[in-house]
Amino acid sequence: VIRCRAAVAWAPGKLSVEEVEVAPPKAGEVRIKLVATGICRTDEHLLQGCFPNAEFPVIPGHEGAGIVESVGEGVNSMKPGDKVIPLCIPQCGECSFCRNPESNFCQKSHISEPQNLLPDKTSRFSCKGKQIHHFLWVSTFAEYTVVPEYTVAKIDAAAPLDKVCLFGCGFSTGYGAAINTAKVVKPGSTCAVFGLGGIGLSVVMGCKAAGASRIIAVDINKDKFAKAKELGATDCINPRDFQKPIQEVLTEMTGQGVDYSFEAIGHADTMV
């Protein structure tokens, strides 16, 4: 058992740094020393009590990168000392979804089965004599975590862990939306990106990499515009600067509207 620090959410809105015990990995599991974690809006949703099927107390966090500390019986894809990224969406490689090139949503994920406990329905975390739940089998707000082998991606030994931790959710979500889902492949195309958080900025990067000639970034926080332009945005606009709906502004700017539009906030009004 390893004793370390972790941020424990005892109830919605109640988060504190505690000393926790992290049990060793069982068969098919990996214990990771986390070096870096990102903070995603989903973690805030968990703390607000609106994440479906979540159970408290729980250690939040689902973007991280670290080093394998130990492995359980039967784990062959990695060894202690390997750099890894834990995955909030598993990749078992065996279910029908994993085998389908048109899908990436493993059937062992939280959509089909809550990931509050590890697959054997037990937790590897405890604090003050109480069982602490896992979050999406990842729980990166801890110095050590235990996850199933199929929720871990081994990465290059030279990778900077403080940067690649964002690959676990934010960067891959935004960049993948442009490259893999929308398939922004038409050189010279025009894109609009609503919301310039980590996901939105990653969309901007994906659109630029795909060859879009015009990338219009939309946000109500002007402080984000400099970073958006640094990453590839050609225009930055604030809806509060206009008296008309922003979609009308975009139509006037482009003559006919954009070729691809990305909503990176998850807000119904913005989607409309």
Side-chain angles (χ1 to χ4, degrees):
V1 174
I2 289 178
R3 289 176 175 81
C4 66
R5 293 177 302 167
V8 179
W10 296 100
K14 186 179 179 182
L15 184 74
S16 59
V17 176
E18 307 282 357
E19 182 181 86
V20 300
E21 294 80 42
V22 184
K26 295 183 179 180
E29 297 176 354
V30 179
R31 185 159 62 182
I32 303 169
K33 178 183 180 180
L34 289 158
V35 174
T37 182
I39 300 177
C40 178
R41 183 72 182 183
T42 301
D43 300 309
E44 176 65 14
H45 290 159
L46 172 69
L47 295 174
Q48 291 172 345
C50 57
F51 199 88
N53 301 320
E55 293 186 39
F56 293 84
V58 60
I59 297 176
H62 62 288
E63 294 179 342
I67 300 168
V68 174
E69 180 272 336
S70 59
V71 299
E73 180 183 352
V75 174
N76 299 312
S77 63
M78 61 200 73
K79 64 184 185 305
D82 286 342
K83 285 186 176 182
V84 294
I85 294 175
L87 310 174
C88 60
I89 296 180
Q91 187 72 20
C92 75
E94 299 173 353
C95 70
S96 61
F97 281 23
C98 284
R99 294 196 304 267
N100 185 342
E102 296 302 316
S103 172
N104 73 324
F105 222 104
C106 178
Q107 288 173 290
K108 293 183 178 180
S109 73
H110 54 92
I111 292 298
S112 57
E113 181 178 348
Q115 289 161 240
N116 302 315
L117 298 171
L118 292 184
D120 69 351
K121 305 305 178 185
T122 63
S123 172
R124 301 295 167 269
F125 298 125
S126 60
C127 179
K128 300 178 180 178
K130 294 183 178 181
Q131 171 184 276
I132 306 298
H133 290 90
H134 295 247
F135 180 53
L136 304 180
W137 286 341
V138 179
S139 293
T140 58
F141 288 7
E143 293 178 316
Y144 286 85
T145 191
V146 177
V147 298
E149 179 183 13
Y150 49 77
T151 63
V152 184
K154 181 180 175 181
I155 62 174
D156 193 297
L161 297 177
D162 62 330
K163 295 180 175 61
V164 300
C165 63
L166 299 177
F167 281 33
C169 177
F171 175 77
S172 54
T173 298
Y175 193 87
I179 300 296
N180 298 326
T181 305
K183 295 181 172 60
V184 180
V185 296
K186 185 173 66 173
S189 59
T190 300
C191 303
V193 182
F194 291 82
L196 300 177
I199 290 176
L201 291 174
S202 298
V203 172
V204 170
M205 296 171 69
C207 292
K208 180 181 179 181
S213 64
R214 194 173 188 186
I215 303 169
I216 305 171
V218 183
D219 202 289
I220 59 174
N221 184 352
K222 292 182 178 181
D223 292 342
K224 299 179 180 181
F225 290 170
K227 177 61 69 173
K229 288 188 175 180
E230 178 185 333
L231 296 176
T234 56
D235 305 80
C236 293
I237 57 176
N238 184 339
R240 292 176 174 172
D241 291 340
F242 302 91
Q243 299 298 317
K244 61 183 69 175
I246 195 62
Q247 61 267 28
E248 294 183 16
V249 176
L250 290 172
T251 301
E252 291 177 0
M253 291 176 64
T254 59
Q256 60 182 12
V258 299
D259 298 301
Y260 303 92
S261 183
F262 299 87
E263 199 280 341
I265 304 169
H267 194 283
D269 290 341
T270 320
M271 295 178 191
V272 172

